[in-house]
C-alpha cells in the first residue's frame, strides 16, 4: 500500500472515530439536559398538585362551615349576610385565640362594623357568637373535597372560582400554621413525588413576603439550582401577600444522572472498545509495514550475500574447465578450496536463518553442561582474531569475576559472544578497540563488551534485538549482515535464563551487558 494512500485512509478513519465520540458526547449532554427539563416539569406538576389539594380542602371546609352556619340559624339567610357572619366569626375566633396566648393585640379587639348591618335579632346574634357555636376547625383530610357533597362539574368553573375566592378570603386572616401543618405538606409532597416516580429526598418551606414561615422541614436550605417555588392559597385580595411553597431536592443531580447512567456506561464501554481496537489496528498496520520494509531489506541483503559466493563458485568452475588450469593440480586444489569455503559460507547463512526460525517455534533442542565463561570468552576472541588483524584492532580482557561457571551450551554461547564481538568490529570505522569485562553480581556473572564504534540512536537501542532490524535500512552493504545476530543472541540467552542489555551513545560506542545465572 502506498504511503500517501495509507495516511489518507488513517486520517479518514480517525475523523470518523472522532465524529462518533463527539456524537456520543453530544447525545449524553442532550440527554442530561432533557432529563433535567423533564425533572423540573415533573417537580412543577407535583407542586401544582399539592397546591390544588390544599386549596380544594379549604374550599370543601368552607362549604361545610357555610352549611353548618345555615343549619345553626335555622332560617332563610342570603349569601351576603352569611359571608359577613362567617368572616366575623373567623375574626372573633382569631382574637380569642390571641387572648388565650396573652397576645396584647387582643385588647384592641372590637366587633366588626359589618355586623351592625346584618338584619338579625339579638337572640340569633348571641347564638352565632357563643363559644359553643364557634368556628368549625379545618378538616385535615386530603379527601375532604372529593368526598364532600360540594362538587362542581367541569362546566361550572365560574362557580368554583367564586367559591375558591370566598374560601381564600375566609381563611386568609388565619396564620399559615392554622391553615396547614408541616406534616400535612410533607405527606402531600411525598405522595405526589411517588406518583411522578421521583425517588429523591426533599426539603420544603412556605414563604410569605420573602420570609420563611414556621411551616417548613427541619433541613430546608435554598439551593439556587435545585429549588422550585409555586404560589399556594391564592387570593384576589391585593392587600394580602401570597404564600409560596418552596421545594428543594438535594438528590436532583444524582437522580438525573442515574436515569441515563446505564446507556451512558454502555456507550462509554463500546466507544472505548472501538478506540482501543482502532488504535491497535493502526499500530499493527504500521508494524506490518515496518516488518515488510525490514523483510525487503533482508531479502536484498541476503540476495547480495548469496550473489558473491555463487559468482565465485561459478568463476572457479569455469576456470577448472580451462585446460591449463585443469592440468595444474595446485591450481585445481586452490579453486576447489575456494568453492568449498564459499559453499560453507552460504550454508552458514542459511543455517542462521533456520536457527532463528527454530527458536521462534521452540523447536531447538539445546543440551547444556557446565561452562567456564572466562575460558569461553578467550575462545570466542580467537574466532574473530583474523577480523581484528584485518582492521588492526585489539581486544583487552578484564576478567574480574571469581565465580564463572554456568549451565549452558558451549556452541550457542560461543555464537552469542562471537556475534557481539563481530558487531563491535564491523561497526567501528577506524581500528577497533574492544574491552571485555566480567564481574559477579549476587548469584550472576555479568559480561560487558564495550567498543568505541559508531554507536546507536535511542530509537535503534529499543529495536536492536528485533529480528531483521538494522539501523540503516535499504540495500546497504558496506556493513554485511541480515539483522539476525542479536535477535539470535537474545533468544539463546533467554533459553539459558539470561538477559542482555545495551547502552549506547551515537558516535561514541556501545556496551552490551550479558547476565547469566551461576551454578550454585
Amino acid at each position: 500500500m502506498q504511503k500517501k494512500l495509507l495516511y489518507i485512509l488513517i486520517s479518514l478513519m480517525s475523523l470518523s472515530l472522532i465524529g462518533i465520540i463527539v456524537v456520543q458526547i453530544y447525545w449524553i449532554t442532550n440527554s442530561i439536559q432533557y432529563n433535567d427539563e423533564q425533572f423540573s416539569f415533573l417537580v412543577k406538576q407535583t407542586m401544582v398538585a399539592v397546591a390544588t389539594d390544599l386549596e380544594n380542602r379549604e374550599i370543601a371546609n368552607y362549604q361545610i362551615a357555610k352549611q353548618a352556619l345555615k343549619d345553626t340559624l335555622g332560617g332563610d339567610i342570603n349569601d351576603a349576610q352569611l359571608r359577613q357572619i362567617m368572616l366575623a366569626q373567623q375574626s372573633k375566633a382569631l382574637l380569642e385565640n390571641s387572648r388565650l396566648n396573652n397576645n396584647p393585640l387582643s385588647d384592641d379587639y372590637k366587633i366588626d362594623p359589618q355586623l351592625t348591618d346584618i338584619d338579625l335579632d339579638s337572640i340569633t346574634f348571641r347564638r352565632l357568637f357563643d363559644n359553643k357555636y364557634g368556628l368549625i376547625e379545618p378538616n385535615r383530610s386530603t379527601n375532604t373535597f372529593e368526598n364532600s357533597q360540594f362538587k362542581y362539574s367541569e362546566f361550572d368553573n365560574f362557580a368554583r372560582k367564586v367559591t375558591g375566592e370566598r374560601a381564600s378570603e375566609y381563611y386568609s386572616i388565619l396564620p399559615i400554621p392554622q391553615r396547614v401543618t408541616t406534616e400535612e405538606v410533607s405527606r402531600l409532597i411525598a405522595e405526589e413525588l411517588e406518583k411522578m416516580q421521583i425517588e429523591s429526598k426533599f426539603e420544603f418551606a412556605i414563604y410569605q413576603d420573602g420570609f420563611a414561615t414556621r411551616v417548613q422541614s427541619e433541613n430546608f436550605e435554598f439551593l439556587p439550582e435545585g429549588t422550585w417555588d409555586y404560589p399556594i392559597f391564592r387570593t384576589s385580595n391585593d392587600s394580602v401577600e401570597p404564600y409560596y411553597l418552596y421545594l428543594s431536592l438535594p438528590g436532583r443531580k444524582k437522580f438525573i444522572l442515574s436515569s441515563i447512567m446505564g446507556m451512558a456506561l454502555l456507550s462509554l464501554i463500546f466507544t472505548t472498545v472501538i478506540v482501543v481496537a482502532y488504535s491497535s489496528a493502526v499500530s499493527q498496520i504500521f508494524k506490518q509495514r515496518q516488518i515488510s520494509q525490514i523483510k525487503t531489506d533482508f531479502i536484498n541483503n541476503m540476495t547480495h550475500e548469496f550473489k558473491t559466493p555463487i559468482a565465485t563458485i561459478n568463476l572457479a568452475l569455469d576456470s577448472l574447465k580451462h585446460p591449463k588450469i585443469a592440468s595444474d593440480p595446485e591450481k585445481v586444489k586452490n579453486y576447489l578450496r575456494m568453492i568449498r569455503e564459499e559453499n560453507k559460507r552460504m550454508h552458514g547463512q542459511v543455517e542462521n536463518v533456520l536457527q532463528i526460525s527454530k527458536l521462534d517455534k521452540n523447536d531447538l533442542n539445546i543440551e547444556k553442561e557446565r561452562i567456564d565463561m572466562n575460558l569461553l570468552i578467550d575462545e570466542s576472541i580467537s574466532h574473530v582474531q583474523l577480523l581484528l588483524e584485518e582492521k588492526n584492532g585489539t581486544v583487552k580482557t578484564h576478567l574480574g569475576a571469581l565465580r564463572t561457571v554456568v549451565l549452558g551450551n558451549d556452541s550457542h554461547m560461543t555464537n552469542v559472544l562471537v556475534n557481539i564481538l563481530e558487531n563491535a568490529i564491523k561497526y567501528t570505522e577506524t581500528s577497533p578497540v574492544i574491552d571485555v569485562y566480567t564481574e559477579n553480581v549476587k548469584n550472576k556473572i555479568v559480561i560487558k563488551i564495550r567498543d568505541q564504534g559508531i554507536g546507536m540512536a535511542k530509537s535503534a537501542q529499543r529495536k536492536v534485538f528485533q529480528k531483521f532490524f538494522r539501523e540503516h535500512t535499504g540495500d546497504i552493504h558496506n556493513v554485511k549482515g541480515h539483522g539476525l545476530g542479536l535477535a539470535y543472541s537474545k533468544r539463546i540467552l533467554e533459553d539459558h535464563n539470561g538477559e542482555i542489555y545495551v547502552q549506547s551513545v551515537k558516535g561514541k560506542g556501545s556496551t552490551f551487558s550479558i547476565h547469566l545465572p551461576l551454578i550454585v
Side-chain angles (χ1 to χ4, degrees):
M1 186 183 293
Q2 293 182 356
K3 188 175 180 180
K4 185 177 180 181
L5 179 60
L6 176 63
Y7 282 121
I8 290 173
L9 289 176
I10 291 175
S11 299
L12 291 175
M13 291 167 63
S14 301
L15 286 173
S16 300
L17 183 59
I18 293 171
I20 290 172
I21 294 172
V22 170
V23 168
Q24 292 293 328
I25 294 172
Y26 177 77
W27 175 82
I28 291 172
T29 305
N30 271 13
S31 295
I32 293 173
Q33 184 178 355
Y34 172 78
N35 286 353
D36 190 19
E37 293 174 355
Q38 191 70 13
F39 184 81
S40 297
F41 174 77
L42 293 176
V43 171
K44 279 289 186 181
Q45 291 294 99
T46 297
M47 299 182 75
V48 170
V50 170
T52 303
D53 285 344
L54 292 174
E55 290 171 359
N56 285 343
R57 190 206 65 199
E58 285 203 336
I59 292 173
N61 287 337
Y62 175 78
Q63 292 288 52
I64 292 171
K66 182 179 176 182
Q67 187 62 45
L69 185 58
K70 278 187 176 181
D71 295 340
T72 300
L73 294 174
D76 294 332
I77 186 169
N78 61 48
D79 285 345
Q81 291 176 324
L82 196 61
R83 178 164 166 262
Q84 289 178 337
I85 292 170
M86 291 179 71
L87 289 172
Q89 274 189 326
Q90 188 77 290
S91 298
K92 179 177 180 292
L94 180 62
L95 290 173
E96 285 183 351
N97 186 54
S98 298
R99 185 182 293 112
L100 291 174
N101 292 325
N102 296 321
N103 189 331
L105 292 176
S106 59
D107 296 336
D108 298 330
Y109 168 71
K110 294 181 180 179
I111 297 281
D112 195 315
Q114 298 177 92
L115 298 181
T116 57
D117 297 331
I118 303 175
D119 186 18
L120 296 175
D121 57 73
S122 60
I123 295 175
T124 304
F125 184 88
R126 186 173 180 178
R127 287 175 59 200
L128 283 173
F129 293 97
D130 199 314
N131 284 337
K132 68 177 182 178
Y133 295 109
L135 177 68
I136 297 176
E137 289 296 323
N139 192 327
R140 300 298 182 192
S141 171
T142 56
N143 296 324
T144 303
F145 184 75
E146 288 81 357
N147 298 333
S148 70
Q149 58 180 316
F150 306 105
K151 293 183 180 179
Y152 302 93
S153 68
E154 57 181 314
F155 300 105
D156 198 10
N157 289 330
F158 178 75
R160 187 190 183 287
K161 182 179 179 182
V162 171
T163 305
E165 289 177 355
R166 290 179 178 177
S168 179
E169 184 181 8
Y170 177 61
Y171 287 109
S172 63
I173 61 174
L174 289 177
I176 193 67
Q178 292 186 23
R179 298 178 72 176
V180 67
T181 64
T182 301
E183 292 75 14
E184 182 181 5
V185 177
S186 179
R187 177 169 49 81
L188 285 173
I189 293 173
E191 289 175 357
E192 294 300 329
L193 286 176
E194 185 178 359
K195 290 179 184 178
M196 299 296 178
Q197 298 181 344
I198 297 177
E199 297 178 3
S200 176
K201 293 181 179 180
F202 64 89
E203 302 292 337
F204 70 91
I206 294 179
Y207 275 65
Q208 185 183 35
D209 196 19
F211 295 96
T213 66
R214 286 184 292 173
V215 182
Q216 61 176 296
S217 58
E218 293 182 2
N219 301 317
F220 175 79
E221 182 181 356
F222 184 85
L223 302 174
E225 295 184 0
T227 303
W228 293 263
D229 64 274
Y230 192 79
I232 59 173
F233 300 134
R234 289 165 293 187
T235 177
S236 58
N237 188 354
D238 295 336
S239 63
V240 179
E241 289 292 335
Y243 290 101
Y244 279 87
L245 173 63
Y246 284 81
L247 181 59
S248 172
L249 284 90
R252 161 178 163 266
K253 289 185 178 179
K254 183 179 178 181
F255 180 83
I256 293 171
L257 291 176
S258 64
S259 64
I260 66 163
M261 187 59 68
M263 290 300 295
L265 190 60
L266 284 175
S267 175
L268 179 63
I269 290 172
F270 289 136
T271 302
T272 303
V273 169
I274 291 172
V275 170
V276 171
Y278 170 75
S279 302
S280 177
V282 171
S283 175
Q284 289 299 320
I285 288 172
F286 279 107
K287 282 183 180 179
Q288 290 300 320
R289 189 173 182 277
Q290 185 180 30
I291 290 171
S292 177
Q293 183 64 45
I294 290 172
K295 285 185 176 180
T296 301
D297 294 344
F298 166 75
I299 291 170
N300 291 337
N301 285 319
M302 181 65 81
T303 302
H304 187 275
E305 294 289 337
F306 279 157
K307 280 174 67 178
T308 302
I310 289 172
T312 303
I313 291 171
N314 286 333
L315 181 61
L317 289 172
D318 290 339
S319 298
L320 288 172
K321 293 178 183 179
H322 197 279
K324 289 183 179 181
I325 293 176
S327 61
D328 188 346
E330 193 64 33
K331 289 185 178 181
V332 170
K333 185 179 179 180
N334 186 46
Y335 280 117
L336 288 175
R337 182 185 59 79
M338 289 175 59
I339 292 171
R340 188 181 297 109
E341 287 180 356
E342 295 300 325
N343 183 64
K344 186 178 179 181
R345 181 181 169 189
M346 286 193 297
H347 181 269
Q349 291 168 349
V350 172
E351 190 63 29
N352 282 337
V353 177
L354 291 176
Q355 283 184 340
I356 285 290
S357 178
K358 286 181 179 180
L359 283 171
D360 287 341
K361 297 178 181 177
N362 294 319
D363 288 341
L364 192 62
N365 295 320
I366 300 178
E367 294 181 0
K368 298 174 184 176
E369 57 186 2
R370 295 170 67 92
I371 303 173
D372 188 320
M373 291 306 297
N374 279 349
L375 296 178
L376 196 66
I377 289 169
D378 290 333
E379 183 183 341
S380 300
I381 292 172
S382 67
H383 281 284
V384 298
Q385 197 63 45
L386 290 175
L387 288 173
L388 281 168
E389 292 175 358
E390 184 181 344
K391 297 187 71 173
N392 297 319
T394 58
V395 175
K396 296 179 183 179
T397 57
H398 312 272
L399 307 180
L402 299 178
R403 294 178 295 159
T404 59
V405 179
V406 301
L407 187 65
N409 182 277
D410 184 277
S411 175
H412 286 292
M413 291 304 298
T414 300
N415 289 337
V416 169
L417 293 172
V418 168
N419 280 335
I420 297 173
L421 289 168
E422 282 185 347
N423 283 342
I425 296 167
K426 289 191 295 184
Y427 290 98
T428 301
E429 295 176 344
T430 59
S431 298
V433 178
I434 303 170
D435 292 283
V436 180
Y437 300 84
T438 63
E439 61 179 342
N440 291 124
V441 178
K442 295 183 179 179
N443 291 323
K444 291 184 178 181
I445 182 172
V446 177
I447 303 167
K448 294 183 179 179
I449 300 174
R450 179 179 300 162
D451 64 58
Q452 298 177 17
I454 61 174
M456 288 180 284
K458 289 286 186 182
S459 58
Q461 293 177 45
R462 290 192 293 268
K463 302 175 183 178
V464 72
F465 298 108
Q466 294 178 7
K467 190 168 58 175
F468 305 125
F469 176 78
R470 300 185 72 194
E471 186 173 7
H472 299 286
T473 59
D475 190 13
I476 297 174
H477 306 291
N478 57 327
V479 177
K480 307 294 184 182
H482 313 109
L484 296 175
L486 290 177
Y488 163 82
S489 299
K490 183 177 176 63
R491 289 291 287 111
I492 291 295
L493 289 169
E494 286 175 350
D495 190 74
H496 285 73
N497 298 317
E499 298 167 322
I500 184 169
Y501 305 97
V502 63
Q503 291 179 322
S504 185
V505 178
K506 191 77 172 175
K508 293 186 177 181
S510 304
T511 301
F512 285 85
S513 301
I514 298 172
H515 297 238
L516 286 169
L518 294 165
I519 295 177
V520 181

